[in-house]
Amino acid sequence: MKISHIAALGTLLCTALLCSCANKTLLDETRTFQNDTWMRFQPEKFQVEAPNTEDCYNFVLSVTVDTMRYQLPSVPVTIEIESPSTEKRTLFSTLVLRNQDGKWLAHANPDGTMSATQTVRQFYFFNTTGTHTITIGQRTNKYEIHGIKSLHLNVTKAKLEYPE
């Protein structure tokens, strides 16, 4: 009797692991900012569960801005990834909203805002399994930046192909 329960539990566990491995998206969350203002010392925190250390992932950030309030050509960000063992890695990126000629590269939304999406890190390997904390902060020289409506983070499994 005990053996059949263990076998059933093992089958259930294997099924759950196969289903979770088939899912290629680890995180897909949006954060909105109160009064469309992103405070410098109030970064956004996301939790992501790393199932293994063999797979690599792409980090894609999207930002929605009110162009009447935010006129800068880009949004500089800091991305800090903390592992369950409290090891931290820091990445710096800039979400480009306009090209050098001043033309908007972002997508226009029906409500008059613009949304820009950019891969900020490709082929990222988590160093340990478990729950990692991803903290994203704005790194402008301003205490608060007005006109930032939302921030979206997507962490998706990448396909790393080695050259032959």
Side-chain angles (χ1 to χ4, degrees):
M1 187 76 171
K2 288 182 182 179
I3 294 175
S4 65
H5 286 302
I6 292 171
L9 181 60
T11 304
L12 182 63
L13 182 60
C14 288
T15 304
L17 286 174
L18 287 174
C19 289
S20 67
C21 291
N23 184 4
K24 295 184 179 190
T25 300
L26 291 186
L27 182 71
D28 191 25
E29 289 185 23
T30 300
R31 303 292 165 80
T32 56
F33 297 104
Q34 186 175 10
N35 298 322
D36 299 341
T37 302
W38 193 358
M39 307 298 284
R40 182 176 178 93
F41 300 108
Q42 293 177 359
E44 293 301 311
K45 293 187 183 228
F46 300 85
Q47 300 287 319
V48 63
E49 189 69 30
N52 61 55
T53 57
E54 292 81 34
D55 293 328
C56 60
Y57 296 88
N58 292 334
F59 288 46
V60 178
L61 271 181
S62 298
V63 65
T64 301
V65 299
D66 177 353
T67 58
M68 297 301 288
R69 296 179 67 201
Y70 190 80
Q71 296 288 319
L72 297 175
S74 61
V75 180
V77 295
T78 302
I79 303 162
E80 185 176 270
I81 304 160
E82 185 176 350
S83 71
S85 62
T86 69
E87 178 185 354
K88 292 182 182 178
R89 295 192 221 173
T90 303
L91 312 170
F92 300 98
S93 188
T94 302
L95 297 167
V96 180
L97 302 175
R98 296 180 190 218
N99 65 14
Q100 291 180 341
D101 298 329
K103 182 181 178 212
W104 286 98
L105 301 174
H107 169 75
N109 298 319
D111 65 355
T113 61
M114 300 287 264
S115 295
T117 301
Q118 187 172 315
T119 301
V120 293
R121 177 63 185 218
Q122 284 186 302
F123 309 122
Y124 181 87
F125 287 89
F126 290 100
N127 54 355
T128 59
T129 60
T131 303
H132 293 253
T133 302
I134 301 172
T135 305
I136 302 174
Q138 58 102 337
R139 62 179 176 92
T140 66
N141 60 355
K142 297 177 179 12
Y143 176 70
E144 51 189 42
I145 51 177
H146 302 284
I148 307 293
K149 295 185 89 47
S150 66
L151 178 74
H152 181 87
L153 176 61
N154 184 283
V155 179
T156 308
K157 186 175 175 182
K159 185 175 181 182
L160 183 60
E161 296 180 5
Y162 295 101
E164 294 180 21

